[in-house]
Amino acid sequence: MSNLYLAVIGVGGVGTAFLSQLASLAPSMRPTLIFISRSSKQLYTNDYKPISPSNLQTSPSKLLSLPELTTYLAAAPGKSILVDNTSNQDVAAAYPSFLRKGISVVTPNKKAFSSSLSLWNDIFDAVDKSNGKAMVYHESSVGAGLPVISTLKDLVATGDQVTKIEGVFSGTMSFLFNSFAPVDGSGKGKWSEIVSQAKDAGYTEPDPRDDLNGMDVARKLTILARLAGLKVQGPESFSVQSLIPKELETVGSSEEFMQRLPEFDGDMEAYKDNAAKQGKVVRYVGSIDVAKGEVKVGLQMVDRGTPIASLMGSDNLICFYTKRYPCPLVIQGAGAGGEVTAMGVTGDLIKVVERLR
Amino acid sequence: MSNLYLAVIGVGGVGTAFLSQLASLAPSMRPTLIFISRSSKQLYTNDYKPISPSNLQTSPSKLLSLPELTTYLAAAPGKSILVDNTSNQDVAAAYPSFLRKGISVVTPNKKAFSSSLSLWNDIFDAVDKSNGKAMVYHESSVGAGLPVISTLKDLVATGDQVTKIEGVFSGTMSFLFNSFAPVDGSGKGKWSEIVSQAKDAGYTEPDPRDDLNGMDVARKLTILARLAGLKVQGPESFSVQSLIPKELETVGSSEEFMQRLPEFDGDMEAYKDNAAKQGKVVRYVGSIDVAKGEVKVGLQMVDRGTPIASLMGSDNLICFYTKRYPCPLVIQGAGAGGEVTAMGVTGDLIKVVERLR
C-alpha cells in the first residue's frame, strides 16, 4: 500500500485495547505508528520513523501542541490518520484543522460530535471539501462497537426516511434499572443501594452523578439526531431528566452525594410502583422524533413485553423506525467497555485504511 | 471523481428498488450506468455512453454473454462495478472472472457465497490478488439490509473470537411460527392453514416448499459460518431439518402439496404441545457453534423469555456470541423485501464507490 501514517492520542482503557487490536491486524492493514501521546507524555521522531508504544515512557525533549501535531502529520511522507482515544474537548475542537490538512480522524470521542453545532459543521465541511481525501469515522461515539452510527448513516445515505430513534443508550442506566425494576416484578434493593453497588462494581463513572445527570445519553442522542438530519444545537438544547435530586444539586463531593441519596429512595420507589400498577416498568429512555424535531431523555414507563423492558445486564438497545423499517431495525448489546469501544475504533481504522491505500 | 462505471444485472423486485435508490444518490456517489440486463433483454452502447434504465425495452442487436460482458467492462475507460441483483448461479459462477479483471461486485445473490467452497475460495482469492482494486460486497446475502455481514466481518477483522451465531434467518419461517405458536400460548390456526394464509399473502415463495425445505436458511448459515472461519462445504453438508413431510417429498405440483399438507398438522401440533408443556415455544432456528465446527438448522424449543421466542411478524434476529460479547450482540428487523434488500446493495455500492474513487 501507499505509505500511511498513524498518530494515537490517549492510551487509557480504550487506547490500550486499541493498540493491542492494532498489533493483531495484518501488516497490510496497519499504518505506520509515528506518534503516540498520553497525558503529558509523547513519543515521536522528527523523521517519521516507526515507534513502539512500549517506549512511551521516554518522552521527547519537545512536546508538540495540537497545531504543531497537525503540521507534523501534514508533512509526513504519506497520508496520515489521527486516532483520538480521549474524551477531550480540546482535541475534538482541533479536528477541523486536522481534516483541512488532509489528516483523517477516527475516534470514540463524543465531544466532537455532540458539542456546538458549529464544531459539527466545521468537521463535516472540512470532510466535504477534502473531496474524499480526509474522512472522519466515529462508530464508538454511540454504543461503543455496536453498529449504530454506520447503520444510521447507511439508512440515510440510501434514501430511507428515519421517523423515530428510541432506546437505552447508557450501559450504566441499563444496569441500574434492570436491577431496580426487572420485568419479573422483583428488584435487588432500594435505588440508592443499587447505585452504590453499581459504583462499587465499577459500572458507574467514579462519580455516579456523571451518569445520573443524563448528559452522556443526551450527547449520544445529539449525535444521532444530527445524523438523522435535525439541527440540534447541543445536549443542553432539549429536555433531559437528571436523576440527581434537586436538593442534592449543590452537594460537593460524591461521597456526600452517595450518603444523602437514600433520602430520595421514596421518589424512585414511587416511580416504580406507579409503573407496576399499570403493568409496566420504569426505564431511562432516549428518543428522537424526527418529524416533530423532538429529542427527549428521561424516565419512561415501558410495557413489560417490549425489548426495552426485557433488556438484561448493562446492554444498550437502539431501535430505528424508518419508512423501510416500520417494525424497527434493532441493535442490542454491550455499549461500553474498553474492548468493545476499541473494536469500533479499530473497525473504523480498517475502513479508512481501505479507502486511503 | 475518477470515472466509475456501473453494470446492473437483474431488474426484478430488488433491481427496481435498487435503481430507484441509485437515482436518489448524490451525483458524486453515482457511477455511470453503462449496462443493464433483465432476462434476455440488455441495454448498452459500444462506446460506454450513459444509458437510462427506462430504455431497457429496446434491446441491442447483440446480446453479451457473461465472458463478453467481462471483456466489455474490463475495457471501460475507468474502473467498473457489477451489481448482480439476481439469484442466478451462472452469474455467481462468473464473479471470479469479473474480479480477476479488476471489476468489483456488489450483490444480494446468496448462491455465490453458499455454493461450493471452491467458488467461495476463487472469489476471495481474486479479491486478495487484486490488491484492493477489485472488491466484493454482499451485505444483503443474509438478512437483507440488516447489518449482519458487515458486523460479522468487523468482529473477525478486529480480532474478536466468534463462539456462536444463532437466530431466526428466514422472514417466512419467522412469520409462520410467530403465528402458529406465539408466546402468549394462543395461535392463529392449524399449521397447514397458516402456511396457506402466508402463501396467499405473499409471505412465502410462490411454491412454499422453497421456504419449508430450509435451504434458504442453510445457505445463509453457510455464508456466516465461512465468514466466522469454518470450512463449510455447502448448505447440504450439515444437518438441515426440512418441514416438507417425508411422505410429500415426491409430490409434483405445489397445489397438490398444499392440498395434502393438512394430513400432517398433527405432527406440528405435537411439536407445539410438547414445547408448551415445558413452558417453551417451537421456532425454526439456525445455529453455528464455531468451536465445535457445528452448523444446524431446524425446529427448536425455545424459552418464552428469550428474544427468539418474542420475535414478531416476519422479523429476522441474529445473535453473535463472541469473546467480547458474551451477552450477544443482537441485530433484529425485517430480513426480506425489495426495498430493504436493495438498501443493502445500495449501501454496499456507496462503500465501493468511496474506496474506488
Side-chain angles (χ1 to χ4, degrees), chain A residues 32-34 45 48-52:
Chain A
T32 307
L33 185 67
I34 53 167
T45 66
Y48 305 99
K49 285 272 184 319
I51 57 168
S52 162

mmCIF file of all heavy atoms in Angstrom, chain A residues 32-34 45 48-52:
data_model
loop_
_atom_site.group_PDB
_atom_site.id
_atom_site.type_symbol
_atom_site.label_atom_id
_atom_site.label_comp_id
_atom_site.label_asym_id
_atom_site.label_seq_id
_atom_site.Cartn_x
_atom_site.Cartn_y
_atom_site.Cartn_z
ATOM 1 N N THR A 32 1.791 2.919 9.651
ATOM 2 C CA THR A 32 2.997 3.071 10.472
ATOM 3 C C THR A 32 2.735 4.023 11.631
ATOM 4 O O THR A 32 2.387 5.187 11.418
ATOM 5 C CB THR A 32 4.153 3.629 9.603
ATOM 6 O OG1 THR A 32 4.282 2.787 8.452
ATOM 7 C CG2 THR A 32 5.450 3.644 10.370
ATOM 8 N N LEU A 33 2.918 3.530 12.837
ATOM 9 C CA LEU A 33 2.703 4.371 14.025
ATOM 10 C C LEU A 33 3.866 5.336 14.180
ATOM 11 O O LEU A 33 5.013 4.908 14.335
ATOM 12 C CB LEU A 33 2.570 3.479 15.267
ATOM 13 C CG LEU A 33 2.228 4.180 16.581
ATOM 14 C CD1 LEU A 33 0.821 4.772 16.543
ATOM 15 C CD2 LEU A 33 2.364 3.216 17.767
ATOM 16 N N ILE A 34 3.586 6.649 14.125
ATOM 17 C CA ILE A 34 4.672 7.632 14.197
ATOM 18 C C ILE A 34 4.522 8.608 15.357
ATOM 19 O O ILE A 34 5.420 9.391 15.638
ATOM 20 C CB ILE A 34 4.792 8.454 12.883
ATOM 21 C CG1 ILE A 34 3.441 9.071 12.509
ATOM 22 C CG2 ILE A 34 5.346 7.597 11.753
ATOM 23 C CD1 ILE A 34 3.529 10.136 11.437
ATOM 24 N N THR A 45 9.400 10.752 16.371
ATOM 25 C CA THR A 45 10.726 11.138 15.902
ATOM 26 C C THR A 45 10.567 12.231 14.848
ATOM 27 O O THR A 45 9.510 12.319 14.212
ATOM 28 C CB THR A 45 11.473 9.956 15.248
ATOM 29 O OG1 THR A 45 10.766 9.596 14.050
ATOM 30 C CG2 THR A 45 11.519 8.743 16.173
ATOM 31 N N TYR A 48 9.773 10.779 11.145
ATOM 32 C CA TYR A 48 8.652 9.858 10.887
ATOM 33 C C TYR A 48 9.045 8.378 10.938
ATOM 34 O O TYR A 48 8.512 7.566 10.205
ATOM 35 C CB TYR A 48 7.976 10.194 9.537
ATOM 36 C CG TYR A 48 7.524 11.631 9.464
ATOM 37 C CD1 TYR A 48 8.289 12.591 8.816
ATOM 38 C CD2 TYR A 48 6.334 12.022 10.066
ATOM 39 C CE1 TYR A 48 7.887 13.927 8.763
ATOM 40 C CE2 TYR A 48 5.934 13.349 10.033
ATOM 41 C CZ TYR A 48 6.702 14.295 9.369
ATOM 42 O OH TYR A 48 6.288 15.593 9.331
ATOM 43 N N LYS A 49 10.004 8.050 11.799
ATOM 44 C CA LYS A 49 10.376 6.651 11.999
ATOM 45 C C LYS A 49 9.255 5.932 12.769
ATOM 46 O O LYS A 49 8.603 6.530 13.615
ATOM 47 C CB LYS A 49 11.673 6.574 12.815
ATOM 48 C CG LYS A 49 12.927 6.934 12.043
ATOM 49 C CD LYS A 49 13.492 5.706 11.347
ATOM 50 C CE LYS A 49 14.802 5.998 10.630
ATOM 51 N NZ LYS A 49 14.850 7.280 9.904
ATOM 52 N N PRO A 50 9.068 4.642 12.484
ATOM 53 C CA PRO A 50 8.082 3.879 13.259
ATOM 54 C C PRO A 50 8.474 3.853 14.738
ATOM 55 O O PRO A 50 9.659 3.745 15.048
ATOM 56 C CB PRO A 50 8.155 2.456 12.676
ATOM 57 C CG PRO A 50 9.063 2.518 11.509
ATOM 58 C CD PRO A 50 9.760 3.827 11.480
ATOM 59 N N ILE A 51 7.480 3.992 15.602
ATOM 60 C CA ILE A 51 7.767 3.951 17.041
ATOM 61 C C ILE A 51 7.013 2.785 17.668
ATOM 62 O O ILE A 51 6.092 2.237 17.066
ATOM 63 C CB ILE A 51 7.354 5.271 17.736
ATOM 64 C CG1 ILE A 51 5.853 5.528 17.489
ATOM 65 C CG2 ILE A 51 8.205 6.424 17.264
ATOM 66 C CD1 ILE A 51 5.284 6.621 18.341
ATOM 67 N N SER A 52 7.404 2.425 18.873
ATOM 68 C CA SER A 52 6.725 1.337 19.578
ATOM 69 C C SER A 52 6.030 1.903 20.816
ATOM 70 O O SER A 52 6.649 2.623 21.604
ATOM 71 C CB SER A 52 7.750 0.279 19.981
ATOM 72 O OG SER A 52 7.202 -0.529 20.983
#
